[in-house]
Amino acid sequence: MHAFLLRGSRAITAFPSCAGGRACGALALGTLLYAPAPTLAQRAESPGDFPTKPLRLLVPFPPGGISDVLARALGARLTVSLGRPVLIDNRPGAGTTIASGMTAAAAPDGYTLMMQDITTHAINATLYPKLGYDSVKSFTTVALVASSPLMLVVPPTFQAKSVRELIALGRTRPNDFSYASPGNGTLPHLVTEVFKKQTGTGFLHVPFKGNAALRVLAGEVELTFSVMPPAVSNVKAGKLVALGVTSAKRVAAAPDVPTMIEAGLADFEFVLYSGVLGPAGISAPIVAKLNREIAVAVASVEMQTTLATIGADAVSVSPQQFQKYLVQEMSKLARLVNETGAKLD
């Protein structure tokens, strides 16, 4: 949920403190939340009364993926704590830019939010030569929620039963086998291209819309680096075999699955992060309230159980730290997109 290679998920749970004390913190807050004067409609509602109506949480992916699972679990908790329904609105398509565009264009009142991940902003900022919004300036960072690795999966009948065997197969029979991804420039695509380059293997890329793990289940391709929810559930059901995970350490949801680093790939660490954004200009008190409520929700027993089930780690940071991290990852992912030569479908 990354260089995008991070050294462990702890890298996104802690950020260096800002030197300069209160003055520096005030500068960061002002930079993040600067907006034009509020409209009459916005002034009519006091931040202390927020929310007074249902909230909408946009998900730029189809149901079943990690962003959808996290959004629904988080929405359920926030519905209770905020006292207003949080409606989940799946808006997949156009490489997540549909949901991102809707969020950027929404009223900055805190009622329209989006569950973003590494694709929506850090990757798309470079992958798309022209977007209808600015990946930083058009949004307000609210809260990080979780991070999770990808899982390398193959069919039970596939002849390679380990990462080393897969590498040997990819070297001796280059381009005889295919891998799936949710599309060009997505993290599974970029990670597999890095895997190919690092191991000297050849696998053909077959981009699909939606869940790439389902393409392995259907026998259309031989492998994929999948997001955790569909991978973990199908591995436990015996329908897929997991060869490795891209985190620095093994995940509790699949403790018998080695990391790619354990399999011999130095520094092969990629983590998918998920967070909540809103349109630019949401007032500081509303952002602070949402950040607090999301942190409480993520720490709840219910959310912790969900995270453990899908192999994800909870993350709680301030909105300012989230924005700083987002900008850093955009720079890192720009290099990765350029190095792999990823282009739009």
PDB file of all heavy atoms in Angstrom, residues 84-121:
ATOM      1  N   ARG A  84     -23.467   9.463  11.476  1.00  0.00           N
ATOM      2  CA  ARG A  84     -24.062   9.657  10.146  1.00  0.00           C
ATOM      3  C   ARG A  84     -23.580   8.540   9.229  1.00  0.00           C
ATOM      4  O   ARG A  84     -22.443   8.088   9.350  1.00  0.00           O
ATOM      5  CB  ARG A  84     -23.653  11.016   9.555  1.00  0.00           C
ATOM      6  CG  ARG A  84     -24.085  12.210  10.373  1.00  0.00           C
ATOM      7  CD  ARG A  84     -25.602  12.408  10.313  1.00  0.00           C
ATOM      8  NE  ARG A  84     -26.022  13.528  11.176  1.00  0.00           N
ATOM      9  CZ  ARG A  84     -27.274  13.912  11.314  1.00  0.00           C
ATOM     10  NH1 ARG A  84     -28.227  13.298  10.633  1.00  0.00           N
ATOM     11  NH2 ARG A  84     -27.580  14.924  12.120  1.00  0.00           N
ATOM     12  N   PRO A  85     -24.412   8.102   8.293  1.00  0.00           N
ATOM     13  CA  PRO A  85     -23.997   7.029   7.388  1.00  0.00           C
ATOM     14  C   PRO A  85     -22.802   7.452   6.527  1.00  0.00           C
ATOM     15  O   PRO A  85     -22.726   8.594   6.068  1.00  0.00           O
ATOM     16  CB  PRO A  85     -25.233   6.793   6.511  1.00  0.00           C
ATOM     17  CG  PRO A  85     -26.378   7.361   7.287  1.00  0.00           C
ATOM     18  CD  PRO A  85     -25.811   8.518   8.061  1.00  0.00           C
ATOM     19  N   VAL A  86     -21.890   6.516   6.328  1.00  0.00           N
ATOM     20  CA  VAL A  86     -20.789   6.704   5.380  1.00  0.00           C
ATOM     21  C   VAL A  86     -21.067   5.761   4.213  1.00  0.00           C
ATOM     22  O   VAL A  86     -20.994   4.537   4.357  1.00  0.00           O
ATOM     23  CB  VAL A  86     -19.424   6.395   6.023  1.00  0.00           C
ATOM     24  CG1 VAL A  86     -18.315   6.517   4.975  1.00  0.00           C
ATOM     25  CG2 VAL A  86     -19.157   7.349   7.185  1.00  0.00           C
ATOM     26  N   LEU A  87     -21.420   6.336   3.090  1.00  0.00           N
ATOM     27  CA  LEU A  87     -21.844   5.559   1.930  1.00  0.00           C
ATOM     28  C   LEU A  87     -20.653   5.241   1.036  1.00  0.00           C
ATOM     29  O   LEU A  87     -19.915   6.144   0.626  1.00  0.00           O
ATOM     30  CB  LEU A  87     -22.892   6.337   1.139  1.00  0.00           C
ATOM     31  CG  LEU A  87     -24.086   6.865   1.954  1.00  0.00           C
ATOM     32  CD1 LEU A  87     -25.005   7.694   1.071  1.00  0.00           C
ATOM     33  CD2 LEU A  87     -24.842   5.711   2.594  1.00  0.00           C
ATOM     34  N   ILE A  88     -20.449   3.957   0.739  1.00  0.00           N
ATOM     35  CA  ILE A  88     -19.335   3.532  -0.112  1.00  0.00           C
ATOM     36  C   ILE A  88     -19.785   3.588  -1.566  1.00  0.00           C
ATOM     37  O   ILE A  88     -20.797   3.000  -1.940  1.00  0.00           O
ATOM     38  CB  ILE A  88     -18.869   2.108   0.253  1.00  0.00           C
ATOM     39  CG1 ILE A  88     -18.573   2.006   1.752  1.00  0.00           C
ATOM     40  CG2 ILE A  88     -17.646   1.722  -0.579  1.00  0.00           C
ATOM     41  CD1 ILE A  88     -17.562   2.999   2.261  1.00  0.00           C
ATOM     42  N   ASP A  89     -19.018   4.284  -2.378  1.00  0.00           N
ATOM     43  CA  ASP A  89     -19.373   4.507  -3.779  1.00  0.00           C
ATOM     44  C   ASP A  89     -18.217   4.059  -4.677  1.00  0.00           C
ATOM     45  O   ASP A  89     -17.232   4.776  -4.836  1.00  0.00           O
ATOM     46  CB  ASP A  89     -19.668   5.996  -3.994  1.00  0.00           C
ATOM     47  CG  ASP A  89     -20.233   6.291  -5.380  1.00  0.00           C
ATOM     48  OD1 ASP A  89     -20.346   5.365  -6.194  1.00  0.00           O
ATOM     49  OD2 ASP A  89     -20.556   7.470  -5.644  1.00  0.00           O
ATOM     50  N   ASN A  90     -18.311   2.850  -5.222  1.00  0.00           N
ATOM     51  CA  ASN A  90     -17.269   2.326  -6.111  1.00  0.00           C
ATOM     52  C   ASN A  90     -17.353   3.012  -7.465  1.00  0.00           C
ATOM     53  O   ASN A  90     -18.381   2.933  -8.145  1.00  0.00           O
ATOM     54  CB  ASN A  90     -17.407   0.816  -6.283  1.00  0.00           C
ATOM     55  CG  ASN A  90     -17.146   0.052  -5.014  1.00  0.00           C
ATOM     56  OD1 ASN A  90     -18.026  -0.104  -4.166  1.00  0.00           O
ATOM     57  ND2 ASN A  90     -15.930  -0.435  -4.851  1.00  0.00           N
ATOM     58  N   ARG A  91     -16.263   3.665  -7.866  1.00  0.00           N
ATOM     59  CA  ARG A  91     -16.206   4.344  -9.158  1.00  0.00           C
ATOM     60  C   ARG A  91     -14.911   3.963  -9.879  1.00  0.00           C
ATOM     61  O   ARG A  91     -14.004   4.780 -10.049  1.00  0.00           O
ATOM     62  CB  ARG A  91     -16.277   5.856  -8.970  1.00  0.00           C
ATOM     63  CG  ARG A  91     -17.609   6.374  -8.438  1.00  0.00           C
ATOM     64  CD  ARG A  91     -18.763   6.050  -9.382  1.00  0.00           C
ATOM     65  NE  ARG A  91     -20.030   6.543  -8.877  1.00  0.00           N
ATOM     66  CZ  ARG A  91     -20.645   7.625  -9.354  1.00  0.00           C
ATOM     67  NH1 ARG A  91     -20.098   8.308 -10.347  1.00  0.00           N
ATOM     68  NH2 ARG A  91     -21.794   8.022  -8.832  1.00  0.00           N
ATOM     69  N   PRO A  92     -14.794   2.696 -10.309  1.00  0.00           N
ATOM     70  CA  PRO A  92     -13.585   2.278 -11.014  1.00  0.00           C
ATOM     71  C   PRO A  92     -13.556   2.814 -12.434  1.00  0.00           C
ATOM     72  O   PRO A  92     -14.557   3.320 -12.949  1.00  0.00           O
ATOM     73  CB  PRO A  92     -13.703   0.751 -11.004  1.00  0.00           C
ATOM     74  CG  PRO A  92     -15.186   0.506 -11.016  1.00  0.00           C
ATOM     75  CD  PRO A  92     -15.781   1.610 -10.173  1.00  0.00           C
ATOM     76  N   GLY A  93     -12.399   2.687 -13.061  1.00  0.00           N
ATOM     77  CA  GLY A  93     -12.288   3.066 -14.459  1.00  0.00           C
ATOM     78  C   GLY A  93     -11.261   4.145 -14.718  1.00  0.00           C
ATOM     79  O   GLY A  93     -10.912   4.926 -13.823  1.00  0.00           O
ATOM     80  N   ALA A  94     -10.746   4.161 -15.963  1.00  0.00           N
ATOM     81  CA  ALA A  94      -9.768   5.165 -16.410  1.00  0.00           C
ATOM     82  C   ALA A  94      -8.569   5.239 -15.479  1.00  0.00           C
ATOM     83  O   ALA A  94      -8.068   6.329 -15.161  1.00  0.00           O
ATOM     84  CB  ALA A  94     -10.432   6.529 -16.548  1.00  0.00           C
ATOM     85  N   GLY A  95      -8.119   4.062 -15.021  1.00  0.00           N
ATOM     86  CA  GLY A  95      -6.932   4.031 -14.177  1.00  0.00           C
ATOM     87  C   GLY A  95      -7.077   4.788 -12.883  1.00  0.00           C
ATOM     88  O   GLY A  95      -6.111   5.364 -12.375  1.00  0.00           O
ATOM     89  N   THR A  96      -8.263   4.802 -12.309  1.00  0.00           N
ATOM     90  CA  THR A  96      -8.637   5.452 -11.037  1.00  0.00           C
ATOM     91  C   THR A  96      -8.868   6.955 -11.191  1.00  0.00           C
ATOM     92  O   THR A  96      -9.223   7.627 -10.215  1.00  0.00           O
ATOM     93  CB  THR A  96      -7.606   5.241  -9.899  1.00  0.00           C
ATOM     94  OG1 THR A  96      -6.451   6.058 -10.119  1.00  0.00           O
ATOM     95  CG2 THR A  96      -7.201   3.779  -9.778  1.00  0.00           C
ATOM     96  N   THR A  97      -8.699   7.498 -12.394  1.00  0.00           N
ATOM     97  CA  THR A  97      -8.814   8.953 -12.552  1.00  0.00           C
ATOM     98  C   THR A  97     -10.263   9.446 -12.494  1.00  0.00           C
ATOM     99  O   THR A  97     -10.500  10.634 -12.269  1.00  0.00           O
ATOM    100  CB  THR A  97      -8.175   9.415 -13.875  1.00  0.00           C
ATOM    101  OG1 THR A  97      -8.850   8.803 -14.984  1.00  0.00           O
ATOM    102  CG2 THR A  97      -6.692   9.043 -13.916  1.00  0.00           C
ATOM    103  N   ILE A  98     -11.232   8.562 -12.703  1.00  0.00           N
ATOM    104  CA  ILE A  98     -12.640   8.968 -12.596  1.00  0.00           C
ATOM    105  C   ILE A  98     -12.954   9.382 -11.157  1.00  0.00           C
ATOM    106  O   ILE A  98     -13.470  10.476 -10.900  1.00  0.00           O
ATOM    107  CB  ILE A  98     -13.577   7.840 -13.057  1.00  0.00           C
ATOM    108  CG1 ILE A  98     -13.436   7.613 -14.566  1.00  0.00           C
ATOM    109  CG2 ILE A  98     -15.030   8.168 -12.705  1.00  0.00           C
ATOM    110  CD1 ILE A  98     -14.257   6.447 -15.091  1.00  0.00           C
ATOM    111  N   ALA A  99     -12.634   8.500 -10.217  1.00  0.00           N
ATOM    112  CA  ALA A  99     -12.902   8.807  -8.807  1.00  0.00           C
ATOM    113  C   ALA A  99     -12.058   9.981  -8.329  1.00  0.00           C
ATOM    114  O   ALA A  99     -12.534  10.833  -7.567  1.00  0.00           O
ATOM    115  CB  ALA A  99     -12.637   7.573  -7.950  1.00  0.00           C
ATOM    116  N   SER A 100     -10.813  10.040  -8.781  1.00  0.00           N
ATOM    117  CA  SER A 100      -9.946  11.152  -8.373  1.00  0.00           C
ATOM    118  C   SER A 100     -10.496  12.477  -8.883  1.00  0.00           C
ATOM    119  O   SER A 100     -10.508  13.478  -8.156  1.00  0.00           O
ATOM    120  CB  SER A 100      -8.528  10.936  -8.908  1.00  0.00           C
ATOM    121  OG  SER A 100      -7.918   9.802  -8.326  1.00  0.00           O
ATOM    122  N   GLY A 101     -10.968  12.492 -10.131  1.00  0.00           N
ATOM    123  CA  GLY A 101     -11.536  13.708 -10.691  1.00  0.00           C
ATOM    124  C   GLY A 101     -12.801  14.136  -9.971  1.00  0.00           C
ATOM    125  O   GLY A 101     -13.030  15.334  -9.737  1.00  0.00           O
ATOM    126  N   MET A 102     -13.643  13.160  -9.618  1.00  0.00           N
ATOM    127  CA  MET A 102     -14.865  13.465  -8.878  1.00  0.00           C
ATOM    128  C   MET A 102     -14.533  14.069  -7.515  1.00  0.00           C
ATOM    129  O   MET A 102     -15.196  15.012  -7.055  1.00  0.00           O
ATOM    130  CB  MET A 102     -15.703  12.200  -8.703  1.00  0.00           C
ATOM    131  CG  MET A 102     -16.304  11.658  -9.981  1.00  0.00           C
ATOM    132  SD  MET A 102     -17.145  10.068  -9.726  1.00  0.00           S
ATOM    133  CE  MET A 102     -18.464  10.558  -8.612  1.00  0.00           C
ATOM    134  N   THR A 103     -13.514  13.528  -6.878  1.00  0.00           N
ATOM    135  CA  THR A 103     -13.124  14.034  -5.562  1.00  0.00           C
ATOM    136  C   THR A 103     -12.584  15.449  -5.669  1.00  0.00           C
ATOM    137  O   THR A 103     -12.944  16.335  -4.881  1.00  0.00           O
ATOM    138  CB  THR A 103     -12.067  13.113  -4.938  1.00  0.00           C
ATOM    139  OG1 THR A 103     -12.576  11.776  -4.866  1.00  0.00           O
ATOM    140  CG2 THR A 103     -11.691  13.578  -3.540  1.00  0.00           C
ATOM    141  N   ALA A 104     -11.711  15.668  -6.640  1.00  0.00           N
ATOM    142  CA  ALA A 104     -11.109  16.997  -6.807  1.00  0.00           C
ATOM    143  C   ALA A 104     -12.162  18.063  -7.087  1.00  0.00           C
ATOM    144  O   ALA A 104     -12.011  19.222  -6.674  1.00  0.00           O
ATOM    145  CB  ALA A 104     -10.086  16.961  -7.936  1.00  0.00           C
ATOM    146  N   ALA A 105     -13.238  17.674  -7.778  1.00  0.00           N
ATOM    147  CA  ALA A 105     -14.281  18.634  -8.166  1.00  0.00           C
ATOM    148  C   ALA A 105     -15.368  18.802  -7.110  1.00  0.00           C
ATOM    149  O   ALA A 105     -16.246  19.662  -7.255  1.00  0.00           O
ATOM    150  CB  ALA A 105     -14.916  18.192  -9.485  1.00  0.00           C
ATOM    151  N   ALA A 106     -15.324  18.007  -6.054  1.00  0.00           N
ATOM    152  CA  ALA A 106     -16.381  18.056  -5.040  1.00  0.00           C
ATOM    153  C   ALA A 106     -16.272  19.306  -4.174  1.00  0.00           C
ATOM    154  O   ALA A 106     -15.222  19.946  -4.087  1.00  0.00           O
ATOM    155  CB  ALA A 106     -16.310  16.805  -4.161  1.00  0.00           C
ATOM    156  N   ALA A 107     -17.365  19.641  -3.508  1.00  0.00           N
ATOM    157  CA  ALA A 107     -17.355  20.769  -2.579  1.00  0.00           C
ATOM    158  C   ALA A 107     -16.421  20.456  -1.411  1.00  0.00           C
ATOM    159  O   ALA A 107     -16.429  19.338  -0.886  1.00  0.00           O
ATOM    160  CB  ALA A 107     -18.767  21.027  -2.059  1.00  0.00           C
ATOM    161  N   PRO A 108     -15.603  21.418  -0.991  1.00  0.00           N
ATOM    162  CA  PRO A 108     -14.645  21.173   0.098  1.00  0.00           C
ATOM    163  C   PRO A 108     -15.278  21.269   1.476  1.00  0.00           C
ATOM    164  O   PRO A 108     -14.863  22.068   2.326  1.00  0.00           O
ATOM    165  CB  PRO A 108     -13.607  22.277  -0.124  1.00  0.00           C
ATOM    166  CG  PRO A 108     -14.396  23.400  -0.694  1.00  0.00           C
ATOM    167  CD  PRO A 108     -15.443  22.769  -1.573  1.00  0.00           C
ATOM    168  N   ASP A 109     -16.297  20.448   1.694  1.00  0.00           N
ATOM    169  CA  ASP A 109     -17.025  20.511   2.961  1.00  0.00           C
ATOM    170  C   ASP A 109     -16.829  19.274   3.830  1.00  0.00           C
ATOM    171  O   ASP A 109     -17.421  19.163   4.909  1.00  0.00           O
ATOM    172  CB  ASP A 109     -18.519  20.724   2.699  1.00  0.00           C
ATOM    173  CG  ASP A 109     -19.097  19.688   1.730  1.00  0.00           C
ATOM    174  OD1 ASP A 109     -18.421  18.662   1.462  1.00  0.00           O
ATOM    175  OD2 ASP A 109     -20.224  19.904   1.232  1.00  0.00           O
ATOM    176  N   GLY A 110     -16.026  18.327   3.368  1.00  0.00           N
ATOM    177  CA  GLY A 110     -15.751  17.124   4.151  1.00  0.00           C
ATOM    178  C   GLY A 110     -16.714  15.984   3.912  1.00  0.00           C
ATOM    179  O   GLY A 110     -16.528  14.898   4.467  1.00  0.00           O
ATOM    180  N   TYR A 111     -17.728  16.202   3.074  1.00  0.00           N
ATOM    181  CA  TYR A 111     -18.729  15.163   2.865  1.00  0.00           C
ATOM    182  C   TYR A 111     -18.410  14.218   1.696  1.00  0.00           C
ATOM    183  O   TYR A 111     -19.043  13.184   1.553  1.00  0.00           O
ATOM    184  CB  TYR A 111     -20.104  15.798   2.653  1.00  0.00           C
ATOM    185  CG  TYR A 111     -20.672  16.366   3.929  1.00  0.00           C
ATOM    186  CD1 TYR A 111     -20.564  17.729   4.207  1.00  0.00           C
ATOM    187  CD2 TYR A 111     -21.273  15.544   4.873  1.00  0.00           C
ATOM    188  CE1 TYR A 111     -21.064  18.254   5.391  1.00  0.00           C
ATOM    189  CE2 TYR A 111     -21.770  16.057   6.061  1.00  0.00           C
ATOM    190  CZ  TYR A 111     -21.663  17.411   6.314  1.00  0.00           C
ATOM    191  OH  TYR A 111     -22.152  17.914   7.495  1.00  0.00           O
ATOM    192  N   THR A 112     -17.443  14.585   0.869  1.00  0.00           N
ATOM    193  CA  THR A 112     -16.987  13.707  -0.200  1.00  0.00           C
ATOM    194  C   THR A 112     -15.516  13.394   0.023  1.00  0.00           C
ATOM    195  O   THR A 112     -14.669  14.296   0.024  1.00  0.00           O
ATOM    196  CB  THR A 112     -17.171  14.352  -1.588  1.00  0.00           C
ATOM    197  OG1 THR A 112     -18.556  14.617  -1.804  1.00  0.00           O
ATOM    198  CG2 THR A 112     -16.667  13.421  -2.682  1.00  0.00           C
ATOM    199  N   LEU A 113     -15.225  12.125   0.232  1.00  0.00           N
ATOM    200  CA  LEU A 113     -13.871  11.656   0.488  1.00  0.00           C
ATOM    201  C   LEU A 113     -13.537  10.518  -0.472  1.00  0.00           C
ATOM    202  O   LEU A 113     -14.411   9.998  -1.153  1.00  0.00           O
ATOM    203  CB  LEU A 113     -13.732  11.184   1.939  1.00  0.00           C
ATOM    204  CG  LEU A 113     -14.114  12.199   3.024  1.00  0.00           C
ATOM    205  CD1 LEU A 113     -14.189  11.513   4.385  1.00  0.00           C
ATOM    206  CD2 LEU A 113     -13.114  13.353   3.055  1.00  0.00           C
ATOM    207  N   MET A 114     -12.267  10.140  -0.527  1.00  0.00           N
ATOM    208  CA  MET A 114     -11.853   9.067  -1.423  1.00  0.00           C
ATOM    209  C   MET A 114     -10.823   8.186  -0.749  1.00  0.00           C
ATOM    210  O   MET A 114      -9.925   8.683  -0.058  1.00  0.00           O
ATOM    211  CB  MET A 114     -11.266   9.646  -2.715  1.00  0.00           C
ATOM    212  CG  MET A 114     -10.877   8.580  -3.737  1.00  0.00           C
ATOM    213  SD  MET A 114     -10.181   9.283  -5.250  1.00  0.00           S
ATOM    214  CE  MET A 114      -8.443   9.033  -4.955  1.00  0.00           C
ATOM    215  N   MET A 115     -10.967   6.865  -0.946  1.00  0.00           N
ATOM    216  CA  MET A 115      -9.960   5.919  -0.484  1.00  0.00           C
ATOM    217  C   MET A 115      -8.911   5.796  -1.583  1.00  0.00           C
ATOM    218  O   MET A 115      -9.147   5.179  -2.612  1.00  0.00           O
ATOM    219  CB  MET A 115     -10.593   4.556  -0.171  1.00  0.00           C
ATOM    220  CG  MET A 115      -9.613   3.506   0.328  1.00  0.00           C
ATOM    221  SD  MET A 115      -8.874   3.908   1.922  1.00  0.00           S
ATOM    222  CE  MET A 115     -10.278   3.637   3.014  1.00  0.00           C
ATOM    223  N   GLN A 116      -7.769   6.436  -1.374  1.00  0.00           N
ATOM    224  CA  GLN A 116      -6.728   6.436  -2.405  1.00  0.00           C
ATOM    225  C   GLN A 116      -5.655   5.404  -2.083  1.00  0.00           C
ATOM    226  O   GLN A 116      -5.583   4.881  -0.968  1.00  0.00           O
ATOM    227  CB  GLN A 116      -6.120   7.828  -2.524  1.00  0.00           C
ATOM    228  CG  GLN A 116      -5.377   8.306  -1.296  1.00  0.00           C
ATOM    229  CD  GLN A 116      -3.937   7.862  -1.228  1.00  0.00           C
ATOM    230  OE1 GLN A 116      -3.484   7.331  -0.213  1.00  0.00           O
ATOM    231  NE2 GLN A 116      -3.195   8.041  -2.299  1.00  0.00           N
ATOM    232  N   ASP A 117      -4.837   5.096  -3.099  1.00  0.00           N
ATOM    233  CA  ASP A 117      -3.684   4.237  -2.858  1.00  0.00           C
ATOM    234  C   ASP A 117      -2.535   4.713  -3.718  1.00  0.00           C
ATOM    235  O   ASP A 117      -2.586   5.790  -4.320  1.00  0.00           O
ATOM    236  CB  ASP A 117      -4.026   2.759  -3.084  1.00  0.00           C
ATOM    237  CG  ASP A 117      -4.139   2.382  -4.552  1.00  0.00           C
ATOM    238  OD1 ASP A 117      -4.074   3.269  -5.429  1.00  0.00           O
ATOM    239  OD2 ASP A 117      -4.277   1.175  -4.833  1.00  0.00           O
ATOM    240  N   ILE A 118      -1.507   3.920  -3.836  1.00  0.00           N
ATOM    241  CA  ILE A 118      -0.305   4.314  -4.558  1.00  0.00           C
ATOM    242  C   ILE A 118      -0.579   4.604  -6.028  1.00  0.00           C
ATOM    243  O   ILE A 118       0.067   5.450  -6.641  1.00  0.00           O
ATOM    244  CB  ILE A 118       0.763   3.205  -4.409  1.00  0.00           C
ATOM    245  CG1 ILE A 118       2.095   3.632  -4.995  1.00  0.00           C
ATOM    246  CG2 ILE A 118       0.299   1.920  -5.058  1.00  0.00           C
ATOM    247  CD1 ILE A 118       3.195   2.650  -4.728  1.00  0.00           C
ATOM    248  N   THR A 119      -1.563   3.922  -6.619  1.00  0.00           N
ATOM    249  CA  THR A 119      -1.869   4.130  -8.032  1.00  0.00           C
ATOM    250  C   THR A 119      -2.508   5.488  -8.265  1.00  0.00           C
ATOM    251  O   THR A 119      -2.135   6.218  -9.194  1.00  0.00           O
ATOM    252  CB  THR A 119      -2.812   3.029  -8.550  1.00  0.00           C
ATOM    253  OG1 THR A 119      -2.201   1.756  -8.382  1.00  0.00           O
ATOM    254  CG2 THR A 119      -3.130   3.238 -10.023  1.00  0.00           C
ATOM    255  N   THR A 120      -3.470   5.849  -7.444  1.00  0.00           N
ATOM    256  CA  THR A 120      -4.305   7.019  -7.716  1.00  0.00           C
ATOM    257  C   THR A 120      -3.509   8.312  -7.803  1.00  0.00           C
ATOM    258  O   THR A 120      -3.850   9.202  -8.578  1.00  0.00           O
ATOM    259  CB  THR A 120      -5.393   7.184  -6.642  1.00  0.00           C
ATOM    260  OG1 THR A 120      -4.774   7.390  -5.361  1.00  0.00           O
ATOM    261  CG2 THR A 120      -6.276   5.945  -6.573  1.00  0.00           C
ATOM    262  N   HIS A 121      -2.446   8.434  -7.023  1.00  0.00           N
ATOM    263  CA  HIS A 121      -1.708   9.689  -6.989  1.00  0.00           C
ATOM    264  C   HIS A 121      -0.215   9.508  -7.279  1.00  0.00           C
ATOM    265  O   HIS A 121       0.314  10.152  -8.181  1.00  0.00           O
ATOM    266  CB  HIS A 121      -1.913  10.377  -5.640  1.00  0.00           C
ATOM    267  CG  HIS A 121      -3.263  10.979  -5.497  1.00  0.00           C
ATOM    268  ND1 HIS A 121      -4.411  10.216  -5.437  1.00  0.00           N
ATOM    269  CD2 HIS A 121      -3.674  12.271  -5.428  1.00  0.00           C
ATOM    270  CE1 HIS A 121      -5.457  11.017  -5.336  1.00  0.00           C
ATOM    271  NE2 HIS A 121      -5.042  12.262  -5.327  1.00  0.00           N
TER     272      HIS A 121
END
